[in-house]
Amino acid sequence: MAVLKYSRQREAIYNNLRQRKDHPTADMIFADIRKEFPNISLGTVYRNLSLLSDLGKIQKLAADGIADRFDGNVLPHDHFICRRCGAMTDMDFVDTERFKEEAASRFDGEIESCSIVFYGICADCKKKEAMNLAGEEYSSEARKTVEAQPTA
Amino acid sequence: MAVLKYSRQREAIYNNLRQRKDHPTADMIFADIRKEFPNISLGTVYRNLSLLSDLGKIQKLAADGIADRFDGNVLPHDHFICRRCGAMTDMDFVDTERFKEEAASRFDGEIESCSIVFYGICADCKKKEAMNLAGEEYSSEARKTVEAQPTA
DNA sequence: ATTAATAATGAGAACGATTACTGTTTATAA
DNA sequence: TTATAAACAGTAATCGTTCTCATTATTAAT
């Protein structure tokens, strides 16, 4: 993969991601792009997302249990993931750089980046929960009740 | 899954994880436990790791591109992942609680937990790199060279 | 101890997310 | 315009993980 060539599909994928404020999975982008390119392949979406991510034009985000998310905002910022509805939102008000420096100053290796992900219940889900609206309507399998003694 | 019953496999998995200082994948634990239980199944390892994690006896860790890691240390602490060799080590000297509070104070939803992962080059790999010892011996496919212009 | 109830197991199929392959199409540069 | 190689669509393969199910093991009550 020496010289990069232009492709309309890549441009569309990049533009789509930049315009969105959510943090879509490859599949969500695929579904959206399909409207413009009805026979684009999922592989093309993955290939270009990973390429764009390598180029530093977008960010790839890994999180607990869910599929990788992509973010058109490459500036360092943190994220929140709702355990109830799975929504991922920005948390750009914490000074990550300060953390990174604090950690780097006491670490032997070389710190390049830092991913901070908060988990909890988003404002929307909290509100819905308070109203006691049809609990199962928006809940996932996230809550598991285990009422027993641990081993050992 | 109402009442938990004892199992030797689960105990072995739990003890194995507690004794290790690395942050193994399910597969690494499987390989190790197999020495004691030659015909334990990988599914059993996954089932118990996920059960122990639900019970709060161990921690499940998600990270970028790599398989889930497990940690016998359930106290809140952060991690570092080496992009070169993949090793995951503890970074318990940053005050995560302070971060969480700072974030929570300015956030509408409810923050339950927070995962902080630093990425970079560990001290060992840095040393080896400096010595210029057979570069490919310990490097993975992590480094991709893309020498071209981004789209758009 | 024996038994009944049911949790946990081992083996392997199934699954979702992602990557790799293959033959065809498209962009670029000569 | 034609040669070259990148990018494509389509699809198979891979990986990590979960699920199914018939069998085994643990527990509680006889």
Side-chain angles (χ1 to χ4, degrees):
Chain A
M1 195 197 286
V3 179
L4 202 57
K5 280 184 185 171
Y6 170 85
S7 98
R8 285 173 307 129
Q9 288 90 335
R10 183 182 309 134
E11 182 172 51
I13 289 165
Y14 181 56
N15 288 337
N16 181 273
L17 189 56
R18 271 195 314 183
Q19 282 160 220
R20 306 176 72 142
K21 55 261 154 226
D22 59 345
H23 298 73
T25 62
D27 212 66
M28 289 159 84
I29 295 167
F30 175 59
D32 216 20
I33 296 284
R34 238 181 173 176
K35 294 168 190 159
E36 194 186 344
F37 295 83
N39 53 356
I40 192 173
S41 112
L42 183 54
T44 298
V45 175
Y46 272 107
R47 185 162 10 86
N48 280 298
L49 285 173
S50 132
L51 176 57
L52 289 166
S53 166
D54 285 345
L55 292 170
K57 304 285 290 181
I58 66 171
Q59 244 188 301
K60 189 178 178 178
L61 309 166
D64 209 45
I66 64 180
D68 286 347
R69 308 295 186 104
F70 295 87
D71 192 341
N73 176 7
V74 292
L75 299 173
H77 63 288
D78 313 319
H79 295 96
F80 173 87
I81 296 175
C82 179
R83 290 207 192 276
R84 189 74 35 99
C85 68
M88 181 180 232
T89 54
D90 287 336
M91 294 276 281
D92 40 17
F93 46 71
V94 176
D95 184 0
T96 307
E97 288 309 306
R98 179 164 50 84
F99 251 169
K100 236 169 84 181
E101 280 161 25
E102 185 173 333
S105 70
R106 302 190 238 167
F107 184 63
D108 271 357
E110 189 176 324
I111 292 175
E112 289 170 348
S113 64
C114 166
S115 149
I116 302 183
V117 182
F118 296 94
Y119 292 91
I121 311 293
C122 73
D124 276 8
C125 285
K126 243 177 83 176
K127 207 183 297 170
K128 282 180 190 160
E129 194 177 60
M131 287 199 269
N132 232 47
L133 279 170
E136 291 319 293
E137 187 177 335
Y138 44 83
S139 84
S140 70
E141 75 292 336
R143 262 177 311 176
K144 282 176 193 160
T145 319
V146 181
E147 353 114 6
Q149 297 306 316
T151 291
Chain B
M1 197 196 291
V3 179
L4 203 55
K5 282 183 184 169
Y6 169 85
S7 100
R8 288 176 302 131
Q9 289 90 335
R10 184 184 308 132
E11 184 174 48
I13 289 164
Y14 181 54
N15 288 337
N16 181 273
L17 189 55
R18 269 194 318 181
Q19 283 162 216
R20 307 176 69 142
K21 54 264 156 220
D22 58 343
H23 299 73
T25 60
D27 212 67
M28 290 158 84
I29 295 168
F30 175 58
D32 218 19
I33 296 284
R34 239 182 172 176
K35 294 168 191 162
E36 196 185 344
F37 294 83
N39 53 355
I40 193 174
S41 110
L42 182 57
T44 298
V45 174
Y46 271 107
R47 186 160 10 85
N48 281 298
L49 284 173
S50 134
L51 177 56
L52 289 166
S53 165
D54 285 346
L55 292 170
K57 305 283 290 178
I58 66 171
Q59 242 188 305
K60 190 178 178 180
L61 309 165
D64 208 47
I66 64 180
D68 285 347
R69 307 294 186 105
F70 295 88
D71 194 341
N73 176 8
V74 293
L75 299 173
H77 64 287
D78 313 319
H79 295 96
F80 173 87
I81 296 175
C82 178
R83 290 207 193 276
R84 188 75 37 97
C85 69
M88 181 180 231
T89 54
D90 287 338
M91 294 277 281
D92 39 17
F93 44 72
V94 175
D95 184 1
T96 308
E97 287 310 304
R98 179 164 50 84
F99 252 166
K100 238 168 86 179
E101 281 160 25
E102 184 174 333
S105 70
R106 303 188 235 167
F107 185 63
D108 272 354
E110 190 176 322
I111 291 176
E112 289 169 348
S113 64
C114 167
S115 151
I116 304 184
V117 181
F118 295 94
Y119 292 91
I121 312 292
C122 73
D124 275 8
C125 285
K126 242 176 83 176
K127 207 184 299 171
K128 283 180 192 162
E129 194 178 61
M131 289 199 269
N132 232 49
L133 280 171
E136 291 318 292
E137 187 176 334
Y138 46 84
S139 84
S140 69
E141 74 294 335
R143 263 179 310 175
K144 283 177 191 158
T145 318
V146 181
E147 355 110 7
Q149 297 306 316
T151 291

